[in-house]
Amino acid sequence: MPAHRSRMAFEPMPPGLDINAVVNSTPNFEFAMRITCDSVNQFPLADFEKLVLYQVVLSGKPLVIEGFQSHLDQELFSEKWLRERYSSKAPSVEVVRDLTKKKNAFFSIGHYLENLPLLARQMTADHYDLKARQRLYMKDIDCPPEWHQYIEDIIPPSLFYLNEAPKDFKGPASGKSNVSEIPRTAEQQLIAPAGDLMSSLPPNMRAENLMCYIGHEGTYTPAHQEMCASLGHNLMVDASCRGRENGQATTEGSSIWLMTGTKDRHVVAEYWLSVLGHDIDIEDFFAPLHAWQIAPFTTFVVDQKPGDLILVPPLAAHQVWNRGTRTMKVAWNRTTVDTLEMALNEALPHARMVCRDEQYKNKAIVFFTLERYWKLLQRAKNVKHPVVDRMWVDFKRLFNLYKNILLSESFPLKKLEKTVEFTEYQSNVTCSFCRCNIFNRFLTCNGCADVKHHGEELGAYDVCMDCYAMGRSCACISKLQWVEQFPIKQLTEKYDSWRRLIVSSDEDDKEIKQKFPTFVVARGQAGKKSIAQICQEQLARRPWIDAKNPQPVAKPTRRQSKKGSDPDDDDDEDGTPRKKRKTRPSITKKPEDTNRCHVCLHQEMNWKLAICSNCDQRYCYGSLYRAFEILPHEAMEKHHWLCPKCRKVCSCGACQHDPNMKPYEPNCTVLGHDTSSVADPRSIESLVDFRKSNLWWLKKFRGDDVHGRIEKRQREAQQAELERHLKLQAQGFKFETSPFDQPTQRGQNGHQNGYDADMPVDPSLMEEMHPGHDLVLA
C-alpha cells in the first residue's frame, strides 16, 4: 500500500476577525494593490490597460479597483430587486451548495434570500466552529440579463466578459477612450485585439462563465486557481448593512480574500501537498488562516466590500471567506494570449491528471482567433496604430501556439495512417477519461460501446492522445480507431496562409522566415516524436483485450501462496501464524515477452517497459514517474531514450554503489489521485497507477526534506522572475512608475485602508437561536 501523508483539517474563520490587525502582525501578509475609479477616470484608458497588463498579467499580482458602488444602480443591484424579480420566474429553483455535507440542495432565490439572516446568525463567536453548522452557498448561478447589461456598460471593455473589440462605455475612463481613432475595415469592423478571446468562438461553443455568488457568514470558496489559467474578475455588487432588513437583524457583509502571486504557484503547490496534505488542483480544501501565516510565500489580502472589483492573476491560488448576513457578487473570466500560453503549457496538463473539465476549449480558441485576426489583418498590412501593432504581436504568438498544436497531431511522414474516420468539429467531443476538450484527432473504441453501467448503455469510448500515451484507455487497451474533426489538409493550408501573412507583414526582417518556418521545416525541427506518432506506436505495441469476454484470473495454488504470491495469506489452515520464507525472484526463468524493471525488479510485459537505446535496460513507467518524475510520453517521445542509469542519475539500490552515480532526488510531492469516480467507468490505467504517491522516494533522500524542496521551488521562482524581467526589458517594455493611486490599507469599517417551496433551511437552527430574534421561515 502507498504511504499517505496526514491532511490538515478545515478550520473556519471567527466572526468579527480583525483582518487589519492580522495583516499588520504577519510578515508574509500584505494588502493587495488598490486604485480608485476616480484615478482611472483621470488618465487615458490606455494607461489603465497598461497598468492591468503589468500588475495582473506580467507581474502576476492581484489588483483591486474600488468605488464602483457609485456607478451601480443601488435599486437594481439589491436583495429586494432580486427577490421580487426572480422568486417566481423560471427557473424557480437554483442549486445551492451545502459546504458542510458537500452535497447540492435546491432552493428558490427568494427562499434562500429570506433565510440568509437565520443562516448567518448561527455563526456566533462561541459556536462558529461546530462541524454541524450549516453553510449554504448559492454559487455559479446565471447572472440576470439586467445586471449583465448594466455592468457591461460601466466596466472598461477590455476587462469584460466576451469582449470582442474596443467600444464605447459609460464607466471610469470612458471619456478617454480612443475608439474613434482605431482603424476599421470597409464593413466598419474595428481592427483591434479582443479583450476576451472566448468571443472568437461561435456562440454555441462558448463557455458560460458570467456567474453570481450569494453567500452568508461562514460560506467560502476553497483554495483554487482560475480554470485554464484564465484571468478572474469579481465585483461585489451588494452586501448587507448593520441594522435591520425585512424586519430581521443583519450584520455588515464583506469577503476576505487570501491570494498568492503567479510566480509562487510551484511553491504554493508543493506547500499544499507536502505540508497541508492536499492538492491545489483538486479544489476541495479551505486552508486555515494560520496555514497561510506560516506559508513560505507572500499572501495578498483583500477585504472586499460593495463596489470592489478584484482582478485575479492567472494560476494564482486564492480562497474566499464570506462574512456578515449577505454578500452578492458577479464574477467572470477572460482568456487572452498570455493565459492561452499558460493553459496549454501548464494548466491543462495539471487538469488532465485530476480529470478536471476543460470548459474553455483552449485549442479551438487559438484556431478561431487566428482565423478572425487573419481576416482583419489582411486589410491592415500598412496601417500604423498601437492597437494594430498589438494585434500583430498577438497574431504571431497565437500562430506559434497553433504550430505546436498541429505538430502534436501530425503522423510521421513514412507512417501515414490510412484509416482515419472523419466527423465534423462541433466542439462537444471530450476525453472519456480526463474530460478535456478534444480539438481534432483522438482515438475511439466501438468494441465496448454497448456496455451497460447501472442499467444505462454507454456510448463509444473516446480518449485523447495525451491520455492514451499515459496508458489511460478503456479495458480493450488496443485496437482503437483514429478519428479527426478537421481534414489535416485544411489545417495545414490554414498554417500556410497565416504564415504567408506574417512573412509579408515585415519584409524588412531578414530572419522572419526562419522565425516562422513552413510546416515541413517545423516538423523536421521538432526533434521528438509527436503525440500522434507515440499513439501510433503504442497501438501497435499494446495488446488487445476483449473487454466483453475478459479472461478469468486463476487463483494462486498453495505452492504459489508459500512463495509469496499472495501476501495477505499469512495463516495456516488451522489459523496459526505461518512464518514467511524469504524468496529471491528467479533471474534465469521468465515468461515470454516480459522483462524485469531495473528499479523495482518486478516482471512486466515488454509493452509496459521503457527500453534504453544505449544499454537495453528496462524501466517500468511507474518507477520512472514516481522516482524520476518522468511521465510515460516524456520517455516515448525521444527517438533515442537514455535511461537514468546511463545518465548517471539512477537511484536504485544497485546503482547507488557506483561512485559516479548522482541519484535523482524528486523535486515535488505527488500524493496520487483516484480518478475512478470522475472518469468513464470503463477506464483503466495500464502503465502507471496514478493513485500511488511518491512519498517513499521522497523519504529515501534526506528523510523527506520538505523545507529543502520548498526552498528549491523558491529559488526556481526567483530565477524565473529574473528571466521574465530580462525578457520584458529585451522587448522594450518599461513601466517605471504608476500614475495611479498607490496601495492603501482598508479598514474593516470603511474604504480607507426535488424542491419544496416551504422547506426550511434547517429546523434545528430554530432551537439554537437566542430568544427575542424575529425569525420567520418561508
Side-chain angles (χ1 to χ4, degrees), residues 57 61-62 90 153 179 288 357 376 407 449 527 603-604 619 650 667 689:
V57 181
K61 298 178 181 179
D153 288 341
V179 176
D357 280 332
L376 294 174
L407 285 173
Q603 288 281 358
E604 290 284 5
Y619 284 72
C650 189
N667 289 315
D689 186 352

Side-chain angles (χ1 to χ4, degrees), residues 237-252:
V237 297
D238 177 66
S240 56
C241 299
R242 190 182 304 274
R244 297 184 72 83
E245 293 181 3
N246 303 319
Q248 301 191 59
T250 57
T251 57
E252 184 179 5

Side-chain angles (χ1 to χ4, degrees), residues 619-774:
Y619 284 72
C620 73
Y621 291 104
S623 294
L624 287 177
Y625 173 64
R626 282 181 283 274
F628 305 98
E629 298 177 328
I630 299 174
L631 284 165
H633 74 271
E634 294 173 348
M636 297 173 183
E637 69 185 8
K638 304 289 195 305
H639 291 287
H640 302 284
W641 181 69
L642 293 181
C643 69
K645 181 180 179 180
C646 290
R647 290 188 284 114
K648 299 298 180 182
V649 295
C650 189
S651 53
C652 74
C655 287
Q656 287 187 3
H657 296 294
D658 185 347
N660 297 320
M661 196 72 63
K662 185 179 180 181
Y664 181 85
E665 297 183 25
N667 289 315
C668 59
T669 305
V670 176
L671 294 181
H673 303 292
D674 185 358
T675 58
S676 59
S677 62
V678 183
D680 187 290
R682 295 166 289 182
S683 300
I684 65 167
E685 292 175 332
S686 59
L687 294 183
V688 179
D689 186 352
F690 289 102
R691 296 172 299 175
K692 294 183 179 180
S693 72
N694 69 343
L695 298 183
W696 186 89
W697 290 99
L698 294 175
K699 291 180 180 180
K700 184 178 179 180
F701 299 96
R702 295 185 294 177
D704 190 8
D705 184 8
V706 174
H707 297 291
R709 289 197 303 278
I710 291 178
E711 289 176 357
K712 183 176 182 179
R713 289 293 189 181
Q714 289 174 321
R715 291 193 296 271
E716 291 172 350
Q718 293 171 356
Q719 181 62 29
E721 185 72 1
L722 176 61
E723 293 175 357
R724 186 187 64 81
H725 278 292
L726 295 175
K727 183 178 179 180
L728 290 176
Q729 291 178 3
Q731 294 174 350
F733 190 93
K734 296 180 180 180
F735 199 93
E736 298 175 356
T737 59
S738 169
F740 294 90
D741 296 345
Q742 294 302 307
T744 58
Q745 291 191 355
R746 157 117 147 236
Q748 185 178 3
N749 298 320
H751 284 263
Q752 299 176 2
N753 274 311
Y755 170 70
D756 181 0
D758 296 325
M759 180 178 63
V761 176
D762 188 344
S764 64
L765 296 182
M766 294 293 295
E767 301 174 0
E768 298 175 359
M769 295 295 104
H770 297 289
H773 289 294
D774 185 13

Side-chain angles (χ1 to χ4, degrees), residues 396-597:
K396 294 174 183 178
R397 293 172 66 185
L398 288 166
F399 180 81
N400 281 328
L401 291 178
Y402 180 73
K403 177 186 69 176
N404 294 334
I405 294 171
L406 199 55
L407 285 173
S408 70
E409 302 208 347
S410 298
F411 295 136
L413 292 174
K414 296 181 180 180
K415 295 183 179 180
L416 295 177
E417 194 71 36
K418 300 298 183 182
T419 57
V420 180
E421 179 186 345
F422 174 77
T423 179
E424 187 176 358
Y425 183 74
Q426 301 292 333
S427 82
N428 55 4
V429 179
T430 58
C431 178
S432 297
F433 200 113
C434 72
R435 303 193 298 172
C436 285
N437 183 258
I438 298 176
F439 171 64
N440 185 31
R441 283 178 170 162
F442 62 96
L443 293 163
T444 187
C445 180
N446 296 315
C448 54
D450 56 352
V451 173
K452 290 187 177 182
H453 181 69
H454 294 314
E456 181 181 354
E457 188 172 298
L458 303 175
Y461 188 95
D462 301 327
V463 61
C464 67
M465 294 185 292
D466 297 276
C467 276
Y468 190 74
M470 292 166 61
R472 293 171 161 181
S473 67
C474 61
C476 299
I477 299 180
S478 191
K479 287 191 177 180
L480 280 73
Q481 302 298 313
W482 284 101
V483 184
E484 64 182 16
Q485 302 175 81
F486 291 93
I488 195 65
K489 184 178 180 181
Q490 176 187 347
L491 296 180
T492 54
E493 286 176 350
K494 292 289 185 184
Y495 180 97
D496 293 336
S497 298
W498 297 336
R499 176 185 175 274
R500 284 194 297 269
L501 180 63
I502 292 174
V503 171
S504 64
S505 67
D506 193 358
E507 296 178 350
D508 295 333
D509 186 353
K510 298 180 180 180
E511 298 181 356
I512 194 167
K513 291 185 178 180
Q514 285 72 35
K515 295 177 182 176
F516 302 94
T518 63
F519 185 66
V520 174
V521 173
R523 188 151 56 179
Q525 294 174 345
K528 61 182 181 181
K529 301 175 185 178
S530 67
I531 196 72
Q533 181 178 350
I534 291 173
C535 291
Q536 278 185 309
E537 294 175 351
Q538 293 301 310
L539 280 170
R541 191 180 185 195
R542 298 176 189 176
W544 175 69
I545 297 176
D546 190 351
K548 296 180 180 178
N549 299 294
Q551 296 297 320
V553 179
K555 293 184 178 181
T557 64
R558 182 69 179 167
R559 183 181 300 275
Q560 289 173 327
S561 297
K562 289 183 178 180
K563 290 183 178 180
S565 62
D566 188 359
D568 295 327
D569 186 10
D570 296 334
D571 299 335
D572 285 327
E573 294 179 357
D574 59 357
T576 58
R578 184 180 65 249
K579 185 177 180 180
K580 291 185 178 180
R581 177 183 298 174
K582 292 184 179 180
T583 60
R584 181 171 297 175
S586 173
I587 300 177
T588 58
K589 294 183 179 181
K590 63 179 181 179
E592 295 182 1
D593 298 327
T594 65
N595 271 285
R596 195 178 303 279
C597 171

Side-chain angles (χ1 to χ4, degrees), residues 162-177:
L162 289 181
N163 169 257
E164 188 175 11
K167 66 176 185 178
D168 293 321
F169 66 109
K170 302 174 183 177
S174 58
K176 308 293 180 66
S177 62

